[in-house]
């Protein structure tokens, strides 16, 4: 069964609104979760590492004020795309690491009109 | 750049033929994984090969790893229509990050 869930699976919003994506660990307690973004026909790009109880670590080129990450509990990390614009339309995927294995969520497709 | 390189970027073969995809990476790794992604869907983990392993099999899949050349290959034997998907290698570095290659889009022709 699924180890990581994401909600919503897809969302359509108007430009300028903020969108929150939830990533839940179902079977494990995840002190660290990862957020990826995937544009059409491209690969997954790591955006940030979400650390439970502390600030997220962002990859170079990712705006931390634009993509707010909160990891308030061991089973939940959230990514908020603030003031979304059409160029933020993408597939967002979270993952958690358990030992050597990375478990990925099913992804959230964001479309900004 | 985060990413490693994969080649080919796209591959079309006849059903029943073997498909080979290659992946190169940049620095020392703990392990390397291959994933499949059907169009617009999530990732499916295929196989993990550790840095001290050279070859691994899983069903119709064979993965090799050459740490001296910093490269890996994925072989799918006796391809099927259902194998049509994008395939990504992902390298696991010492800081626990998983970095994906650019991917190979595989299309199996009937």
């Amino acid at each position: 069964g699924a180890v990581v869930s994401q909600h919503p699976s897809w969302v359509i919003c108007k430009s300028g609104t903020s969108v929150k994506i939830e990533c839940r660990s179902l079977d494990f307690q995840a002190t660290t979760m990862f957020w990826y973004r995937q544009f059409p026909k491209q690969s997954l790009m790591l955006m940030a590492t979400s650390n439970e109880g502390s600030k997220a670590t962002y990859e170079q080129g990712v705006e931390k004020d634009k993509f707010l990450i909160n990891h308030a509990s061991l089973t939940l990390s959230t990514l908020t795309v603030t003031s979304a614009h059409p160029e933020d339309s993408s597939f967002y995927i979270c993952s958690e690491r358990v030992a050597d294995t990375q478990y990925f969520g099913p992804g959230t497709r964001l479309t900004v009109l | 750049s985060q990413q490693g390189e994969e080649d080919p970027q796209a591959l079309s073969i006849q059903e029943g033929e073997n498909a080979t995809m290659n992946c190169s990476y940049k620095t020392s790794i703990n392990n390397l994984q291959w994933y499949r992604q059907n169009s617009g869907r999530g990732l499916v983990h295929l196989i993990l090969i550790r840095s001290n392993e050279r070859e691994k099999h899983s069903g119709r899949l064979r993965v090799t790893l050459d740490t001296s050349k910093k490269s890996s290959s994925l072989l799918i034997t006796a391809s099927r229509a259902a194998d049509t998907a994008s395939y990504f290698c992902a390298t696991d570095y010492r800081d626990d990050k998983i970095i994906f290659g650019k991917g190979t889009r595989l299309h199996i022709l009937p």
Side-chain angles (χ1 to χ4, degrees), chain A residues 36 38 43 59 97 100, chain B residues 3 37 50 92 97-98 101:
Chain A
Y36 293 83
Q38 183 182 33
S43 186
E59 294 298 305
R97 185 189 182 95
D100 283 340
Chain B
Q3 295 179 305
Q37 185 182 38
R50 300 185 191 285
D92 184 349
K97 294 179 184 178
I98 299 286

Side-chain angles (χ1 to χ4, degrees), chain B residues 31-83:
Chain B
N31 60 58
L32 185 144
Q33 303 175 57
W34 284 90
Y35 290 84
R36 184 183 73 218
Q37 185 182 38
N38 290 82
S39 180
R41 306 288 292 275
L43 294 167
V44 174
H45 182 261
L46 296 176
I47 200 165
L48 178 151
I49 187 166
R50 300 185 191 285
S51 59
N52 61 353
E53 296 176 309
R54 292 297 166 259
E55 188 170 310
K56 207 160 182 181
H57 297 254
S58 177
R60 293 184 296 114
L61 306 180
R62 190 189 92 171
V63 168
T64 63
L65 179 65
D66 187 335
T67 53
S68 66
K69 295 181 179 177
K70 295 187 172 55
S71 67
S72 174
S73 67
L74 170 66
L75 168 68
I76 303 174
T77 60
S79 62
R80 305 168 182 169
D83 295 330

